[in-house]
Amino acid sequence: MIRVVAEVNVMRIGELAEATGTTARALRHYEEAGLISSARAANGYRVYDEVAAVRVRNIRHLLAVGLTLEDVRHFLPCLDGDLAATHPSEEGLRVAWERLAVLNERIAAQAEVRDRLEAALLRHTGGRIRPVA
């Protein structure tokens, strides 16, 4: 009997970082968070398969739109595919809406602080507004 073994291309952490536009440090962080996994080469180096690159790109996409690593955990079942072309699950939508609400609350709180600071500056400078350099 002849066994056919599929050849799997593996890459070291630096190669994965370069391929996905991230850093080795970020990849280790994702791994610690349980979002990606690696194997170890004979020399002890981390090695990743090609699927890891897809997963990392999806993680970075979700982080770029404002989700946190904890939020990204809810998307684990679909991180290995074309995330942008897939309709999000109900749980994914719930997580995204909750994150949006948190961001809106933070923005409103920061705007309130900014307005108080601006009012104080205007009171103390006789209404002169100093341009930000």
Side-chain angles (χ1 to χ4, degrees), residues 99-122:
R99 180 58 48 207
L100 181 61
V102 167
L103 291 171
N104 282 333
E105 288 172 16
R106 288 180 184 166
I107 291 167
Q110 289 295 305
E112 212 174 285
V113 170
R114 180 207 55 219
D115 292 347
R116 286 196 306 265
L117 177 58
E118 184 178 52
L121 285 169
L122 291 173

Side-chain angles (χ1 to χ4, degrees), residues 5-16:
V5 178
E7 186 176 315
V8 177
N9 291 329
V10 294
M11 56 190 112
R12 292 189 310 202
I13 195 165
E15 295 167 321
L16 179 60

Side-chain angles (χ1 to χ4, degrees), residues 13-94:
I13 195 165
E15 295 167 321
L16 179 60
E18 186 176 332
T20 58
T22 191
T23 64
R25 184 171 188 238
L27 294 173
R28 285 189 293 275
H29 188 66
Y30 300 162
E31 193 166 345
E32 288 171 17
L35 299 174
I36 63 173
S37 61
S38 65
R40 294 288 178 160
N43 59 8
Y45 290 169
R46 286 179 167 93
V47 290
Y48 300 88
D49 61 20
E50 292 171 343
V51 175
V54 172
R55 182 171 276 238
V56 169
R57 285 187 194 101
N58 283 328
I59 291 167
R60 290 179 48 79
H61 169 74
L62 292 171
L63 294 174
V65 298
L67 298 179
T68 65
L69 283 181
E70 187 59 36
D71 296 336
V72 171
R73 287 183 194 285
H74 297 276
F75 292 84
L76 280 173
C78 55
L79 287 179
D80 295 335
D82 186 356
L83 188 63
T86 306
H87 185 69
S89 67
E90 287 300 316
E91 181 181 7
L93 288 171
R94 180 189 56 76

